[in-house]
Amino acid sequence: MYIKRILVAVLLIGLVGCSVFAYMVYGVFFVNNTNFNNDAAYVFVKSTDKFNDVKQQVAPLLKDVENFEAAAKRKGYISNVKAGKFEIKKGMNNNEIINSLRGRNIPVKVSFNNQETLEDLAGRVATQIEADSLSLIQAFNEPQFLKENNFTHANKLAMYIPNSYEFYWNSSAETFRSKMLTEYKRFWNEDRKAKAKSLGLTENEVVALASIVHKETAKVDERPRVAGVYLNRLRKGMLLQADPTVIYALKLHQNNFKQIIKRVLYKDLKLDSPYNTYMYAGLPPGPIAMPDISAVNAVLNSEKHDYYYFVANVENFGYHKFAKTLSQHNRNKEQYIRWINKQNINR
């Protein structure tokens, strides 16, 4: 009878102990541990992050950080941190949170357009993926990569086609560069290559001309006509005399791409630069900015006409007046100069 009581007592103690243990396990793994009001929160884990880095980032999202760490230890996450972008949904327990952190790496959309320099592009991209701007610039400028893919220092910006692309957030600079090369080759399909060839231009020369067209007019519907003007000049052997190339030359010469130049002065036309198309015939050595796809397509599908000149139309802002003869152009130009002087735009 005495032994029976002892066995019953031991059994009860065991049951209590099991219940306590089960309660503790349940509390650690299966109780809601989120502390935010949105439907979801996102965690960005770097390739170099350790568990403490992750814990520091998720701490503001949790009710109980210690329970989260206990669950992470039991599930082996502490020594197996995964880089990427991960979603934590409102109401998740620690078990679900940890499964999410080592589960699906959520892709991100990387968008860029109209960057004037590769440094600008690197800065823009670095805000959207893990790779920092310095590593991106180094990858963009790697001599061996440029040589292997037939790019020069002057035309390397042409490889980056403005658009939105899908990446994993923890993508490296080399991964970004590699995908951009793939997208460049995809963009230059057989149809676009054939159109470039019919114009007597290489793909990179098309982008260089498109960058001028892009800078000349923001009106997408006018770009094919502007492109036609420059192609007419090229065919006739005329100087392009494109003001945006002079502005680029000035910025390059002064190493200041942040300045805003609204008016090209006559003295600017004397700047000795291969980008000054008032001084040097043909296209500049490379693009003067990153043209968008509409500008590239405007060159490839340019309007066929007899215009050789154009100037800003002060009666229809944003558009231009086109002329077939220099005398007609000069009359249009006088109207523009009177207007710009009246606005006191001196630079």
Side-chain angles (χ1 to χ4, degrees):
M1 189 71 175
Y2 179 73
I3 294 175
K4 188 176 180 180
R5 288 177 179 174
I6 292 175
L7 290 174
V8 170
V10 170
L11 180 61
L12 289 173
I13 292 171
L15 288 173
V16 171
C18 288
S19 298
V20 171
F21 177 76
Y23 177 78
M24 291 175 63
V25 169
Y26 182 82
V28 168
F29 283 96
F30 302 113
V31 173
N32 170 14
N33 194 28
T34 59
N35 190 34
F36 52 85
N37 294 322
N38 295 333
D39 292 336
Y42 295 93
V43 177
F44 297 85
V45 182
K46 295 181 180 178
S47 302
T48 55
D49 278 352
K50 304 298 182 185
F51 174 73
N52 283 339
D53 300 305
V54 179
K55 184 175 74 170
Q56 185 176 9
Q57 189 177 163
V58 300
L61 307 175
L62 305 177
K63 293 178 180 176
D64 191 325
V65 179
E66 289 184 2
N67 271 356
F68 168 75
E69 185 169 4
K73 285 180 180 177
R74 288 182 179 274
K75 290 178 70 69
Y77 175 72
I78 285 181
S79 58
N80 192 28
V81 170
K82 180 181 176 181
K85 176 186 177 181
F86 305 99
E87 182 184 56
I88 299 178
K89 293 180 180 178
K90 183 180 180 180
M92 274 187 168
N93 57 50
N94 286 327
N95 188 58
E96 292 168 328
I97 292 170
I98 293 163
N99 286 345
S100 181
L101 288 172
R102 63 184 184 189
R104 177 173 174 261
N105 188 356
I106 301 172
V108 296
K109 286 287 185 182
V110 176
S111 302
F112 58 88
N113 61 353
N114 314 143
Q115 311 299 312
E116 279 200 317
T117 67
L118 282 178
E119 288 73 19
D120 291 336
L121 175 62
R124 170 73 177 144
V125 173
T127 65
Q128 301 174 78
I129 60 174
E130 180 185 351
D132 61 29
S133 57
L134 180 59
S135 64
L136 286 163
I137 291 170
Q138 289 173 340
F140 296 164
N141 291 316
E142 186 184 342
Q144 188 65 26
F145 172 83
L146 295 175
K147 183 178 179 181
E148 288 175 355
N149 293 287
N150 299 314
F151 288 101
T152 66
H153 177 75
N155 68 24
K156 58 193 175 184
L157 186 63
M159 195 187 91
Y160 302 90
I161 308 296
N163 213 330
S164 291
Y165 302 96
E166 192 171 89
F167 283 89
Y168 288 115
W169 178 80
N170 55 309
S171 295
S172 67
E174 290 73 21
T175 297
F176 176 81
R177 182 187 67 186
S178 178
K179 182 162 185 174
M180 288 300 95
L181 178 61
T182 299
E183 294 295 337
Y184 173 84
K185 292 177 179 178
R186 181 180 291 120
F187 178 82
W188 283 105
N189 54 31
E190 292 306 314
D191 179 57
R192 286 193 173 100
K193 285 182 178 180
K195 288 179 178 179
K197 187 176 181 180
S198 70
L199 296 173
L201 301 175
T202 67
E203 291 94 324
N204 289 333
E205 286 173 334
V206 169
V207 177
L209 180 52
S211 70
I212 298 173
V213 172
H214 181 103
K215 284 291 187 179
E216 286 284 16
T217 177
K219 301 295 185 181
V220 173
D221 60 324
E222 190 185 53
R223 284 175 174 171
R225 178 167 291 188
V226 171
V229 170
Y230 285 124
L231 287 168
N232 285 345
R233 290 185 182 182
L234 284 173
R235 293 188 190 104
K236 199 169 182 178
M238 296 171 61
L239 291 171
L240 290 185
Q241 294 186 330
D243 285 1
T245 66
V246 179
I247 292 172
Y248 180 86
L250 285 166
K251 290 181 175 181
L252 185 65
H253 178 69
Q254 297 168 8
N255 192 29
N256 180 7
F257 282 90
K258 302 300 181 185
Q259 61 181 308
I260 298 174
I261 300 174
K262 293 183 177 180
R263 184 173 186 175
V264 173
L265 307 178
Y266 286 111
K267 67 178 182 179
D268 300 332
L269 307 183
K270 298 178 182 179
L271 177 63
D272 191 358
S273 166
Y275 288 93
N276 183 353
T277 57
Y278 278 83
M279 182 173 289
Y280 288 91
L283 290 163
I288 58 171
M290 181 186 291
D292 63 26
I293 292 174
S294 73
V296 176
N297 287 337
V299 173
L300 295 176
N301 302 281
S302 58
E303 186 178 309
K304 292 176 174 57
H305 52 61
D306 296 325
Y307 295 125
Y308 287 89
Y309 308 93
F310 65 94
V311 68
N313 186 348
V314 297
E315 297 168 346
N316 188 11
F317 288 105
Y319 286 94
H320 294 79
K321 285 188 174 182
F322 294 82
K324 297 178 181 179
T325 65
L326 183 59
S327 59
Q328 182 186 0
H329 171 65
N330 284 337
R331 288 195 296 273
N332 294 337
K333 187 178 177 181
E334 285 174 7
Q335 184 183 25
Y336 170 71
I337 290 175
R338 285 196 299 271
W339 178 85
I340 200 171
N341 286 338
K342 191 175 180 180
Q343 305 304 314
N344 291 318
I345 299 174
N346 300 314
R347 197 46 159 167

